[in-house]
């Protein structure tokens, strides 16, 4: 059986910076209120005047990752695209990237696991490579939140948190033992699905009903989050996923060189850091600059950490995420 290793990383975020003070123009909030609760100072939102979409941002990040891998687009065998905000209800973003990058007629798979989407996507790609089916797989996480947020005081509890952006990794086959992805661990608990949800549009509230109702007060088309409930479960499941990954590889928390947590809330990341006794040099956070970019958050943070030289050869890197569904998981990597 083969191993899979990351050979290229890239990310892209829109140029349009939206600070906490900018949000005061259309909702009752403050920089102090947002930073105290989330740690976020600013986020990137797509400027509608630009070409950026979920798929286009994903393609931009992918170009960088492919170039850094030393491969060409024609060397990629498969695409796994993670997002909760595809450009269209269907088809998904994977086939759009295949077209944008003018790639061969390779397969493209979409993963809809929200904040844990990139963890799930990496696990899927890893299995394809381990079994020998594919040699090089492009894994993308991309989100356009800003187009679907309720930009008002009513929606501020969710809107202040989310940003737009994309990241990509090239996962490649290696026969080197003990390097690359050591293991991945995935979980879900659907009974809590409605604590972090966007109910419409859906087959429960489909096109005829939407057109007939045309109700401006119908909030089902905006994201809903029970923040305290999500926070409580997130810190528990984050910890469990990290411990599970370490135990599966006979490792201890002291062996972690870099933890890349999903950038949901800086307070969650700080809680996990303290619980595991990790230093600031062992945990990378960038939610302060980008907000929560959902399926893109882990890969953007991983790429930035690598670019800054915080991840080196033979480092033990742990990726962990928790989000809507509830779904959560971890990936353990020997760099």
């Amino acid at each position: 059986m083969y191993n899979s290793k990351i050979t290229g990383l890239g990310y892209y975020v829109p140029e349009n910076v939206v600070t906490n003070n900018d949000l005061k123009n259309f909702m009752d909030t403050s920089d102090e209120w947002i930073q105290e609760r989330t740690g976020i100072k600013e986020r990137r939102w797509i400027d509608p005047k630009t070409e950026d979409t979920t798929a286009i941002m994903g393609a931009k990040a992918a170009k960088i990752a492919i170039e850094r891998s030393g491969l060409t687009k024609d060397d990629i065998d498969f695409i796994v695209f993670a997002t909760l905000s595809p450009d269209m209800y269907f088809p998904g973003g994977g086939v759009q990237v295949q077209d944008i990058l003018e790639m061969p007629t390779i397969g493209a798979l979409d993963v809809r696991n929200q904040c844990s989407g990139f963890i799930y996507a990496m696990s899927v790609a890893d299995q394809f490579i381990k079994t020998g089916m594919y040699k090089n797989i492009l894994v993308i996480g991309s989100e356009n939140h800003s187009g679907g947020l309720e930009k008002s005081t009513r929606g501020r509890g969710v809107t202040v948190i989310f940003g737009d952006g994309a990241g990509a990794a090239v996962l490649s086959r290696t026969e080197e033992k003990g390097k690359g992805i050591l293991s991945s661990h995935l979980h879900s608990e659907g009974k809590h699905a409605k604590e972090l949800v966007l109910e419409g549009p859906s087959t429960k509230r489909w096109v005829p009903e939407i057109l007939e109702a045309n109700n401006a007060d119908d909030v089902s088309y905006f994201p809903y989050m029970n923040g305290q409930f999500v926070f409580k479960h997130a810190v528990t499941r984050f910890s469990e996923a990290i411990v599970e990954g370490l135990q599966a590889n006979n490792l201890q928390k002291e062996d972690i060189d870099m933890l890349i947590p999903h950038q949901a809330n800086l307070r969650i990341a700080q809680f996990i850091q303290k619980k595991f006794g990790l230093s600031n040099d062992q945990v990378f956070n960038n939610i302060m600059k980008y907000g929560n970019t959902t399926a893109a958050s882990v890969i953007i943070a991983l790429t930035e950490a690598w670019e800054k030289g915080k991840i080196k050869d033979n480092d033990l890197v742990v990726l962990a995420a928790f989000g809507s569904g509830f779904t959560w998981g971890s990936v353990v990597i020997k760099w």
Side-chain angles (χ1 to χ4, degrees):
M1 184 176 289
Y2 301 104
N3 286 348
S4 54
K5 63 183 295 186
I6 295 173
T7 55
L9 291 168
Y11 79 97
Y12 171 84
V13 291
E15 292 184 2
N16 183 39
V17 177
V18 179
T19 68
N20 292 341
N21 285 326
D22 291 332
L23 298 179
K24 291 163 59 177
N25 294 327
F26 46 84
M27 64 175 65
D28 181 12
T29 191
S30 69
D31 176 64
E32 181 182 15
W33 187 89
I34 296 170
Q35 286 205 52
E36 180 182 344
R37 287 160 178 79
T38 69
I40 299 169
K41 298 179 180 180
E42 59 188 41
R43 73 285 295 144
R44 304 295 181 96
W45 282 356
I46 290 173
D47 184 338
K49 302 184 189 68
T50 67
E51 65 171 1
D52 284 340
T53 67
T54 299
I56 288 174
M57 290 192 300
K60 289 178 177 179
K63 285 182 180 179
I64 298 169
I66 293 171
E67 181 179 349
R68 287 174 169 173
S69 73
L71 302 172
T72 72
K73 62 182 179 62
D74 296 333
D75 295 316
I76 303 298
D77 304 311
F78 196 69
I79 300 168
V80 186
F81 193 105
T83 188
L84 65 71
S85 52
D87 296 342
M88 298 171 281
Y89 196 86
F90 65 84
V95 296
Q96 290 181 272
V97 169
Q98 183 270 337
D99 176 49
I100 293 168
L101 297 184
E102 298 181 331
M103 305 174 85
T105 55
I106 57 175
L109 172 70
D110 281 54
V111 172
R112 297 292 299 277
N113 280 77
Q114 295 67 252
C115 294
S116 63
F118 189 77
I119 300 295
Y120 271 73
M122 286 285 280
S123 177
V124 169
D126 179 46
Q127 301 310 310
F128 275 127
I129 289 176
K130 274 185 164 64
T131 58
M133 185 168 183
Y134 297 122
K135 188 175 180 180
N136 300 300
I137 299 180
L138 177 63
V139 187
I140 300 170
S142 183
E143 301 290 3
N144 171 9
H145 287 302
S146 60
L149 296 172
E150 185 178 16
K151 299 181 179 73
S152 68
T153 298
R154 185 176 70 175
R156 66 181 175 182
V158 171
T159 299
V160 302
I161 296 171
F162 291 97
D164 304 336
V170 175
L171 213 57
S172 299
R173 181 192 299 174
T174 179
E175 296 187 34
E176 189 176 1
K177 301 301 181 183
K179 294 295 284 288
I181 293 180
L182 302 183
S183 65
S184 56
H185 310 272
L186 309 175
H187 296 277
S188 70
E189 192 173 20
K191 68 180 181 180
H192 299 311
K194 290 197 173 181
E195 304 301 336
L196 179 51
V197 64
L198 196 158
E199 291 194 68
S202 68
T203 51
K204 289 176 61 178
R205 195 173 281 98
W206 205 221
V207 176
E209 291 81 10
I210 295 171
L211 293 174
E212 181 179 355
N214 194 25
N215 181 3
D217 294 323
D218 186 352
V219 297
S220 68
Y221 301 101
F222 295 115
Y224 165 80
M225 179 172 65
N226 182 341
Q228 291 185 343
F229 190 89
V230 172
F231 188 100
K232 182 178 71 172
H233 280 72
V235 295
T236 300
R237 299 309 191 185
F238 257 114
S239 300
E240 291 177 355
I242 294 167
V243 170
E244 182 180 20
L246 293 174
Q247 290 179 343
N249 295 284
N250 297 313
L251 297 167
Q252 306 296 321
K253 60 184 181 181
E254 291 79 14
D255 295 314
I256 297 174
D257 294 298
M258 179 56 67
L259 171 64
I260 307 286
H262 163 55
Q263 304 295 294
N265 186 309
L266 186 60
R267 308 309 164 212
I268 294 175
Q270 290 171 334
F271 182 94
I272 298 300
Q273 177 179 340
K274 183 177 180 180
K275 182 172 183 177
F276 281 84
L278 301 175
S279 70
N280 290 338
D281 289 334
Q282 292 173 284
V283 183
F284 188 81
N285 292 297
N286 61 5
I287 190 172
M288 304 79 72
K289 297 190 297 181
Y290 304 127
N292 180 351
T293 55
T294 307
S297 82
V298 168
I299 180 56
I300 291 175
L302 177 63
T303 304
E304 273 207 333
W306 173 78
E307 287 179 347
K308 293 176 181 293
K310 293 181 177 292
I311 298 175
K312 302 174 293 296
D313 192 38
N314 288 317
D315 275 358
L316 185 75
V317 179
V318 178
L319 315 179
F322 172 90
S324 175
F326 287 163
T327 62
W328 66 94
S330 62
V331 175
V332 181
I333 304 169
K334 189 69 170 179
W335 209 258

